[in-house]
Amino acid sequence: MSDFLGKVLLISGSTGIAEATARGAADRGAQVFITSRTEANCRALGESLPDAGYQAADLSEDGAAEAVVAGCVERYGRIDLLFN
């Protein structure tokens, strides 16, 4: 199944529902960019998915969301989907 083929997904979270969503989207062809407060979880999920990007960040801090968006756009050139 490739219903997300070529789409860029920015996802906040790296465990539970967020992890399952990231894995499912990657399985369906999405390029996944992960952000999470917990750097170890963020890195582990990012490194376990093909061509995934990741950036640890606490999105409640000023400027963090903007930095994550910039990181995703820098890596992939755009954002097509957001899962929060």
Side-chain angles (χ1 to χ4, degrees):
M1 200 183 281
S2 62
D3 46 346
F4 289 120
L5 187 62
K7 300 292 184 184
V8 176
L9 168 65
L10 171 58
I11 188 164
S12 64
S14 57
T15 61
I17 293 171
E19 179 182 5
T21 301
R23 291 187 185 285
D27 287 347
R28 289 171 179 79
Q31 294 175 302
V32 179
F33 193 90
I34 301 143
T35 188
S36 174
R37 287 182 308 184
T38 309
E39 186 171 348
N41 292 348
C42 188
R43 183 179 343 100
L45 180 56
E47 290 176 352
S48 74
L49 299 175
D51 192 36
Y54 59 91
Q55 183 173 334
D58 182 344
L59 297 179
S60 69
E61 293 180 2
D62 286 342
E66 291 87 348
V68 168
V69 167
C72 183
V73 170
E74 181 178 323
R75 181 174 178 107
Y76 297 114
R78 67 184 194 282
I79 298 170
D80 298 307
L81 306 162
L82 176 64
F83 182 89
N84 184 16

